[in-house]
Amino acid sequence: MDKIKKTKALKNNVYALKLLGKICPSAVFNNGFSQLLNYFGWLFYSAFFMRYVINALQNGSGFWEIMKFLGITVIVFASVGFYQVYLESSFYPKAHAKINKGLYTILFKKARNVELECFENSDFYDKYTLAMEKADDRLNNTVSDLLGTFFGGIASVLAFVFMYQVDRLSVLFILFPIIGNFVFNRFISKIDYKRNKDMTPYNRKISYINRVMYLAEYAKEMRITNVFNLMRKQYQESIKGVSDVTGKYAKKAAALHWFYVEFTFTFIFEGLLIYGAYRTLVGHSMSLAQLSVITSMMVSTTWILIGFTDSLNKCFKNGLFIDYLKSFLEYKEKIPEDYKGLECPKEIESIEFRNVSFAYKDEMVLKNLNMEFRKDKTYALVGHNGAGKTTITKLLLRFYDPTDGQILLNGRNIKDYNLQQYRKLFATAFQDNKLLSMSVKDNVLMGEEVSESKKNELVSKALKLSGVYDKIMTLPQGLETTLTREFDDKGVVLSGGEFQKVVVARAFIRESPVKIFDEPSSALDPIAEYELFDNILTSCKNHTLLFISHRLSSVQNADWVYLLENGTVKEEGNHKKLMAMNGTYADMYNKQAKNYLWKEDDVKKKSSKKEAK
């Protein structure tokens, strides 16, 4: 577990206070005022109320005078009670909803604005997820603990002053709960930290096994193999590990807890009571009113100190969470999504990679790359895994910027353009795209602004081009069928090929001058692949088309092919030219051709039958 300095932890708590104050200032005010009233109640009852009543009785004050005082007290505290009930039943639920909305709006906007690299950086992503997890509750609790520390500290000082006024020696008994809370409780926290740290590997394994046992993707393995026995053995070993760690710290923890309880409660309660009784009954140097106030103050001071130290300790712990939150919110984006640059041209004449190099985590992926994509031409990127094909599309979409060199749109660096406008120039279908727990229609449209009357028509057309329309129309609600069963038990889980075709339909439906297909047929059979590429080439003839494919049979009709190897262009040209070169491309094509299990005539014949239907 990370640690931060106490001064930084306190500064982070102040940051949390300011952040919550911007989102919901009334929540900060009411939380603080509520805690102020609570501490006021403790001090009023112990330091003033008891002394007044006993002195009034001893001095022979009138009955109605005492009743008047009691009545006013009842009215005040009843009003405080009503206020507290209002906070718990009405104000806090509404305020929490406002805090949730306000904070997550800020967090989601930031998450949307940071560059893709942040999500692929494990250190950044870990801190991001820690900042996001129950952030609204934790921010609210952090501010509550900070206010509790502030008002608890003031109340502790006032309690000390009141006891000093009643009896100077009695303040020495306050040292016991101070030692209990600040010394022994601190040791207990250290023991808890070490114990939890030692338990972490076992608890993680227990959590993993619990998760595996109920997740659907592991159900088949559990039933067709003996892995359940292995999991059970690991689970039992982990439980034993937790037990052994508990035993390791048990004696020390028990001893510290004993000292904590004795110093925090027993010594001050029993000690101060014996001291007061001696002075009242033996020394006759303390009045009954003073004894009542001291015993009452003893209880109040103890709980005030416990509340103060508990809030203070939580402030230090909360400081780490706020540090994650603060680091995330104050992160300076390298490629901010809201970058307002030049207006993008409506017509794309060319996109050029000029001497582009790119390193990812100090590993060179692309080296001095030069290539060009012209208007209304079809381009293919081919090569072995790791050659840099997908990286090129990520650079093209400005998910990353080149380490060296530049990418030009119509002769101008793409960094100069408004990023959101620039991204709208591209319609993409990546092999690692995800389906969302929404309707088929929404999964294809992905929020595209289309008139309601044309949505079904355009979605149907896109699904037909990708080859999955017939399947979708057999589903219970057709285009309105929910994909995945995340929130809908009647939702549908598509096969790998069907999944991929829905993703491809997204690129068909988006009106953009550049279409990018990254391995659009990796999950398809050869016949479906042939039909898909035929539809891609036909429907995108008036677009700049770029596609990535391992299967070289699909790139024969491209106007230009770039063969990548080790992050650079090794060969380029059309299919005929590359075959004539008799180089790497020709060798790859000939090797793949030997393994084709279908003939083009058979494919065309089957496609024509489908069209006839």
Side-chain angles (χ1 to χ4, degrees):
M1 181 180 175
D2 298 330
K3 291 185 178 180
I4 58 175
K5 293 181 179 180
K6 292 180 179 179
T7 53
K8 187 176 181 181
L10 290 175
K11 287 181 180 178
N12 287 344
N13 277 265
V14 174
Y15 174 85
L17 179 66
K18 293 178 179 178
L19 179 60
L20 188 60
K22 290 179 181 179
I23 297 171
C24 187
S26 59
V28 176
F29 172 79
N30 281 287
N31 193 316
F33 190 58
S34 173
Q35 296 205 52
L36 174 65
L37 291 176
N38 285 335
Y39 282 116
F40 168 78
W42 281 102
L43 292 172
F44 173 82
Y45 181 78
S46 58
F48 183 75
F49 180 83
M50 291 297 297
R51 179 163 50 181
Y52 175 86
V53 172
I54 294 174
N55 282 334
L57 292 173
Q58 287 182 335
N59 296 332
S61 299
F63 173 78
W64 291 111
E65 183 180 346
I66 296 175
M67 291 303 297
K68 181 181 178 181
F69 172 76
L70 292 177
I72 293 173
T73 301
V74 169
I75 292 172
V76 170
F77 279 92
S79 300
V80 172
F82 280 122
Y83 171 66
Q84 298 286 11
V85 169
Y86 160 73
L87 291 181
E88 294 297 331
S89 62
S90 180
F91 177 78
Y92 283 145
K94 293 178 182 178
H96 287 166
K98 184 176 180 180
I99 293 168
N100 179 283
K101 179 183 177 181
L103 179 60
Y104 279 103
T105 296
I106 295 172
L107 289 171
F108 290 156
K109 183 178 179 181
K110 187 68 175 182
R112 175 72 176 81
N113 207 49
V114 299
E115 62 272 12
L116 183 67
E117 182 182 355
C118 293
F119 291 87
E120 297 177 348
N121 182 314
S122 58
D123 183 56
F124 182 94
Y125 189 70
D126 286 345
K127 290 183 178 180
Y128 163 61
T129 53
L130 287 169
M132 292 287 281
E133 185 180 5
K134 297 181 180 179
D136 53 337
D137 289 335
R138 295 170 74 181
L139 178 64
N140 200 50
N141 291 338
T142 297
V143 172
S144 180
D145 292 330
L146 179 62
L147 294 172
T149 301
F150 177 74
F151 290 115
I154 295 175
S156 297
V157 172
L158 291 176
F160 180 88
V161 171
F162 290 151
M163 288 191 70
Y164 184 81
Q165 289 177 342
V166 175
D167 185 89
R168 294 182 180 181
L169 290 178
S170 66
V171 298
L172 295 176
F173 289 90
I174 296 178
L175 293 175
F176 290 117
I178 291 176
I179 293 172
N181 282 281
F182 283 100
V183 178
F184 291 109
N185 196 33
R186 188 176 179 184
F187 286 138
I188 290 170
S189 296
K190 288 183 177 180
I191 290 291
D192 289 341
Y193 171 73
K194 291 179 180 178
R195 180 173 55 203
N196 291 334
K197 185 177 180 181
D198 289 351
M199 284 182 178
T200 296
Y202 302 112
N203 285 329
R204 287 179 63 184
K205 187 168 287 188
I206 290 170
S207 177
Y208 171 75
I209 294 170
N210 286 335
R211 191 165 66 252
V212 166
M213 291 304 295
Y214 73 78
L215 288 178
E217 54 258 43
Y218 298 99
K220 291 192 293 293
E221 282 78 3
M222 289 293 172
R223 284 154 179 77
I224 62 177
T225 69
N226 290 323
V227 72
F228 174 78
N229 293 328
L230 293 175
M231 301 292 281
R232 181 172 58 184
K233 182 180 179 182
Q234 290 182 347
Y235 190 85
Q236 291 171 343
E237 290 173 351
S238 298
I239 292 294
K240 184 178 183 301
V242 170
S243 178
D244 290 342
V245 170
T246 302
K248 175 183 175 181
Y249 294 99
K251 291 182 180 178
K252 187 179 292 187
L256 288 171
H257 272 286
W258 184 85
F259 279 110
Y260 167 74
V261 171
E262 295 302 309
F263 272 84
T264 303
F265 298 102
T266 306
F267 291 162
I268 186 174
F269 285 177
E270 303 297 334
L272 193 57
L273 191 60
I274 293 172
Y275 168 76
Y278 176 82
R279 287 199 54 187
T280 302
L281 300 175
V282 180
H284 302 290
S285 58
M286 181 179 289
S287 67
L288 184 61
Q290 289 177 312
L291 177 61
S292 300
V293 171
I294 284 180
T295 54
S296 180
M297 284 295 301
M298 167 191 69
V299 176
S300 297
T301 302
T302 299
W303 287 112
I304 287 172
L305 283 170
I306 289 174
F308 168 65
T309 54
D310 185 54
S311 295
L312 183 62
N313 288 329
K314 286 180 179 178
C315 279
F316 292 132
K317 291 180 181 179
N318 294 335
L320 183 59
F321 154 67
I322 299 299
D323 199 53
Y324 293 144
L325 183 66
K326 183 180 178 183
S327 298
F328 175 66
L329 291 179
E330 294 184 346
Y331 172 76
K332 186 66 176 177
E333 300 92 341
K334 297 175 185 175
I335 311 176
E337 291 289 322
D338 60 357
Y339 174 70
K340 307 295 183 184
L342 298 175
E343 186 175 341
C344 277
K346 295 180 180 180
E347 293 289 331
I348 296 180
E349 298 300 329
S350 69
I351 301 175
E352 181 185 357
F353 280 65
R354 186 178 293 177
N355 301 320
V356 169
S357 296
F358 178 72
Y360 181 73
K361 294 183 178 179
D362 298 325
E363 181 180 347
M364 194 61 70
V365 180
L366 300 176
K367 291 169 281 189
N368 199 35
L369 189 72
N370 290 280
M371 56 173 56
E372 187 177 16
F373 308 106
R374 305 292 299 180
K375 178 182 177 182
D376 297 344
K377 297 293 183 180
T378 299
Y379 297 87
L381 299 180
V382 299
H384 297 296
N385 288 334
K389 303 185 296 296
T390 299
T391 301
I392 288 172
T393 63
K394 289 182 177 180
L395 289 171
L396 192 59
L397 291 163
R398 274 207 81 194
F399 291 152
Y400 299 94
D401 281 332
T403 306
D404 291 303
Q406 53 187 335
I407 302 173
L408 307 175
L409 170 64
N410 292 355
R412 184 152 198 156
N413 197 315
I414 62 174
K415 293 181 182 180
D416 296 337
Y417 293 113
N418 179 294
L419 185 57
Q420 290 300 310
Q421 288 183 16
Y422 174 77
R423 293 253 176 87
K424 288 181 180 179
L425 299 175
F426 301 89
T428 60
F430 288 112
Q431 58 180 317
D432 59 352
N433 276 134
K434 304 296 182 185
L435 291 182
L436 304 175
S437 187
M438 299 177 180
S439 69
V440 175
K441 184 194 299 183
D442 287 332
N443 264 287
V444 175
L445 285 169
M446 295 297 285
E448 284 291 303
E449 295 181 2
V450 178
S451 64
E452 199 67 35
S453 60
K454 291 185 177 181
K455 280 185 178 180
N456 286 0
E457 177 187 346
L458 293 174
V459 171
S460 297
K461 181 181 178 181
L463 291 172
K464 286 176 182 177
L465 287 171
S466 67
V468 74
Y469 177 77
D470 291 339
K471 169 63 180 179
I472 297 301
M473 297 315 291
T474 66
L475 301 179
Q477 293 177 289
L479 299 179
E480 301 297 336
T481 302
T482 300
L483 297 182
T484 80
R485 297 193 180 99
E486 186 77 22
F487 307 112
D488 187 352
D489 292 337
K490 295 180 180 179
V492 173
V493 178
L494 300 177
S495 68
E498 293 161 351
F499 173 106
Q500 192 168 42
K501 289 175 181 178
V502 172
V503 168
V504 169
R506 294 172 180 169
F508 282 127
I509 203 170
R510 184 165 179 171
E511 284 298 326
S512 300
V514 182
K515 304 273 189 175
I516 300 176
F517 295 86
D518 183 2
E519 295 288 355
S521 60
S522 59
L524 306 183
D525 60 66
I527 294 175
E529 178 189 38
Y530 173 87
E531 294 173 346
L532 176 61
F533 273 100
D534 186 53
N535 288 338
I536 289 175
L537 292 171
T538 302
S539 65
C540 299
K541 61 184 178 181
N542 294 324
H543 299 77
T544 301
L545 173 61
L546 172 63
F547 62 89
I548 298 172
S549 180
H550 281 94
R551 298 173 184 171
L552 300 190
S553 61
S554 61
V555 308
Q556 297 179 64
N557 296 321
D559 294 312
W560 204 254
V561 179
Y562 290 103
L563 173 68
L564 296 161
E565 190 171 289
N566 298 322
T568 191
V569 176
K570 185 175 183 181
E571 296 176 7
E572 60 178 293
N574 58 30
H575 174 72
K576 186 177 180 179
K577 179 181 177 181
L578 290 170
M579 291 300 293
M581 289 171 60
N582 201 28
T584 303
Y585 177 89
D587 181 60
M588 290 173 61
Y589 184 86
N590 290 329
K591 285 179 179 177
Q592 288 186 16
K594 292 178 182 179
N595 297 320
Y596 293 155
L597 301 178
W598 52 280
K599 295 180 180 180
E600 190 171 310
D601 290 341
D602 294 335
V603 173
K604 291 180 178 178
K605 189 181 295 183
K606 189 162 184 177
S607 297
S608 62
K609 287 182 179 180
K610 281 189 177 181
E611 291 174 4
K613 290 181 179 179

